Amino acid sequence: MRDFLDIAEDLMRDRASGVDHAAFARVFEGIHHLRRAHSNAQLDVQNIETVLAAFEMAELFGTLGDMAPEDVKKLSASMRTLIVDTIENRIQFKRGTASLEPPRTYSWLALLCKQMLDDGKPPTIITFNYDTALDYALHYYRANPSYCLDGAEPNGVRLLKLHGSLNWATSPDAPEEIVALPWSQLTGSMHLGSSETLSVPVSKFLGKLGDKYARRPVIVAPSWSKLPSYQLLAPVWRRAARELRDAEYIDVAGFSLAASDGFFQMLYGIGTTGRARIRRFAVADPNIEEIRDRFENLLGQAALPQFKPVDEYFDGFVENHLRHAWGYPTYPLHHYY
């Protein structure tokens, strides 16, 4: 997150990158106008989700500095294009013998989920990521990711993507409905080529769902109101609240609990009002001392004694801590490779 916009700007300057250069340029012009307001307001213009939320509000108000009104109307769509293009350019999959292989860390996490699923203890993953690296890893190891988009009882690993996903689309005929593109449809038509690694333009395949589906993925800003996104994602959010209500063990990685996302703080506060007693609340972050106060302020008196700060990156947390904490000290790799 810290260098997302730097990477996006590099892609914009690279004429061979294949990104939508006009959309990228419009985004950075909008950020320029946000920076001009910095002396009068505190806005984290290095955070893409804060910028997206600001752009949505600018569209609602119809103004952003002296930016042309017709460009203001296109800001949030351009920001979503930038997010999608940047993620799809930067996330690399390894070419296997007959198919793509997931990124290493997501392989470890997916294998862990597969073990729990086989033991009748399906885990729940709540994420704010838009990318599909974990989705594909779960598919690859036959762990059956369930997005809980329709409110039905899930079958498999519950993968709750609270801010949307690159492989989700909406239909013009039913704009209140989200449809997920299955990985089996996507990978079945891919040409792997001869390169050792490759990016996967997931959004470009949304048309395989049918001509009536929009080609832009469902990407939601973390603003407090979520604006029209509420009805779209309500089943996912309800499921997330239910899972938090019943959770005894909560492990957090790759999430710094930004002060701007009051939505999650309210989700956690309401979601954890059930009868379950939290036995572990672990948080992994390489800058844990900088953010531990945020989580300690989030937790109530009953949960605070179970708070376990871990000075670790996401990959190290998955490989070195989670499998032991969940009771699976080894990975049965020979079953899957």
Side-chain angles (χ1 to χ4, degrees):
M1 291 299 295
R2 290 185 179 91
D3 61 355
F4 193 98
L5 287 172
D6 294 335
I7 293 170
E9 194 167 28
D10 291 341
L11 289 171
M12 180 182 68
R13 291 170 177 170
D14 179 3
R15 305 308 298 180
S17 63
V19 302
D20 186 331
H21 290 85
F24 276 52
R26 186 176 296 111
V27 166
F28 283 104
E29 183 187 357
I31 291 173
H32 168 71
H33 287 281
L34 288 177
R35 284 199 179 104
R36 290 174 60 185
H38 186 69
S39 60
N40 295 322
Q42 290 292 334
L43 286 175
D44 183 3
V45 294
Q46 285 298 114
N47 186 301
I48 58 166
E49 293 179 326
T50 299
V51 173
L52 176 55
F55 284 174
E56 287 194 339
M57 294 303 291
E59 286 190 32
L60 183 65
F61 300 150
T63 182
L64 180 60
D66 56 4
M67 194 172 184
E70 59 269 22
D71 285 328
V72 173
K73 293 178 182 178
K74 300 175 182 178
L75 275 175
S76 64
S78 296
M79 188 62 179
R80 285 175 170 81
T81 298
L82 178 143
I83 290 171
V84 172
D85 284 1
T86 302
I87 290 174
E88 292 183 344
N89 266 273
R90 295 293 290 186
I91 291 184
Q92 296 291 307
F93 293 81
K94 185 177 180 181
R95 184 173 62 87
T97 305
S99 63
L100 296 175
E101 293 181 3
R104 172 189 170 92
T105 302
Y106 286 122
S107 288
W108 294 131
L109 184 56
L111 280 170
L112 190 54
C113 290
K114 174 63 174 173
Q115 287 179 287
M116 298 180 73
L117 192 62
D118 290 346
D119 287 348
K121 299 183 290 185
T124 295
I125 299 173
I126 298 175
T127 178
F128 300 100
N129 288 3
Y130 307 120
D131 70 80
T132 56
L134 177 57
D135 313 45
Y136 178 63
L138 291 169
H139 163 77
Y140 187 86
Y141 293 109
R142 302 181 297 280
N144 303 322
S146 177
Y147 295 122
C148 302
L149 289 169
D150 57 4
E153 191 63 23
N155 177 28
V157 176
R158 299 157 179 84
L159 180 57
L160 308 178
K161 308 183 79 169
L162 302 191
H163 289 170
S165 182
L166 298 190
N167 66 323
W168 294 1
T170 57
S171 167
D173 298 335
E176 73 286 351
E177 175 190 0
I178 296 177
V179 180
L181 175 68
W183 268 95
S184 55
Q185 288 190 29
L186 193 154
T187 55
S189 59
M190 285 194 61
H191 301 288
L192 300 184
S194 58
S195 60
E196 185 175 341
T197 61
L198 68 158
S199 58
V200 180
V202 179
S203 64
K204 307 299 189 296
F205 288 87
L206 290 179
K208 297 178 72 64
L209 291 169
D211 292 338
K212 68 178 183 177
Y213 289 97
R215 300 303 177 96
R216 287 195 298 272
V218 175
I219 300 292
V220 175
S223 54
W224 174 245
S225 69
K226 303 292 184 183
L227 298 175
S229 307
Y230 169 76
Q231 291 300 327
L232 273 178
L233 292 173
V236 182
W237 297 341
R238 279 195 292 265
R239 188 73 206 191
R242 176 177 169 182
E243 295 297 328
L244 285 170
R245 180 197 67 191
D246 299 333
E248 294 182 350
Y249 301 94
I250 300 175
D251 297 287
V252 181
F255 179 59
S256 60
L257 191 60
S260 60
D261 198 346
F263 170 76
F264 174 76
Q265 297 182 46
M266 190 61 68
L267 172 67
Y268 174 80
I270 294 175
T272 54
T273 55
R275 296 181 179 274
R277 180 175 64 86
I278 295 177
R279 301 187 179 193
R280 182 181 70 246
F281 193 107
V283 177
D285 193 281
N287 302 302
I288 189 64
E289 293 305 318
E290 296 180 15
I291 69 169
R292 65 181 299 161
D293 287 351
R294 302 176 194 175
F295 285 94
E296 289 176 342
N297 292 332
L298 173 74
L299 300 176
Q301 291 183 351
L304 192 56
Q306 313 309 322
F307 176 54
K308 309 295 182 186
V310 181
D311 186 3
E312 189 71 271
Y313 282 96
F314 172 74
D315 54 355
F317 185 58
V318 172
E319 296 182 28
N320 302 326
H321 294 271
L322 279 189
R323 58 194 178 95
H324 292 283
W326 292 355
Y328 296 88
T330 60
Y331 288 112
L333 298 183
H334 59 280
H335 288 315
Y336 304 103
Y337 279 118

